[in-house]
Amino acid sequence: MKPTFLPTAVLAVAGLALVACSTASVPLGAQARALYDSGNYLAASDTWSDDIKLHPFSAAAWNNRAVARVRLGDLDGALRDYNRAIELSPGDAELYFNRGNALIPAGQYPAAIAAFDQAVQLAPAYAPAVFN
């Protein structure tokens, strides 16, 4: 009879590795998005803050936290986040559009118009910015 210990041990270790991979944590950005989509804006903002700590040069992470902060009524925090996102990705028209949308409830209308104008300059066919 042939010994089966080695192949069985190899399969067992491989099986544990696969289980570990399948239970790996969901990326923070995905967790934050799920929280945001469920209406838990505070937890989403906090989770995007954790994501920003891991990826401080991600314009998307800064933008996403800003969106959550707008929902929470933290317009100053949102505008700081939009400014940082724009620093990281100055050619992204959507960032200027989002910043403009945060400036309106802050009562900063000329700055909002300037942000929408910048979005249109970067992407002339970006209809939401043209409309605003």
Side-chain angles (χ1 to χ4, degrees):
M1 188 175 249
K2 291 183 180 181
T4 59
F5 173 74
L6 186 58
T8 303
V10 170
L11 287 174
V13 170
L16 287 174
L18 289 175
V19 170
C21 289
S22 67
T23 59
S25 65
V26 176
L28 288 173
Q31 290 175 26
R33 181 60 192 210
L35 290 164
Y36 181 87
D37 289 345
S38 71
N40 193 343
Y41 306 122
L42 181 58
S45 177
D46 290 344
T47 304
W48 269 309
S49 292
D50 293 339
D51 192 35
I52 287 169
K53 288 176 189 169
L54 293 174
H55 307 101
F57 300 106
S58 169
W62 289 94
N63 176 67
N64 290 335
R65 185 174 72 177
V67 171
R69 285 181 162 180
V70 168
R71 290 288 189 148
L72 292 168
D74 179 9
L75 299 177
D76 290 336
L79 290 170
R80 283 191 305 271
D81 285 353
Y82 285 131
N83 290 340
R84 180 64 179 137
I86 289 168
E87 286 174 13
L88 294 169
S89 186
D92 187 337
E94 186 175 0
L95 297 175
Y96 291 94
F97 172 74
N98 290 346
R99 185 176 186 278
N101 284 327
L103 287 163
I104 291 171
Q108 298 180 34
Y109 305 115
I113 292 169
F116 295 136
D117 286 346
Q118 183 64 36
V120 171
Q121 286 177 6
L122 290 169
Y126 188 33
V130 172
F131 176 77
N132 282 6

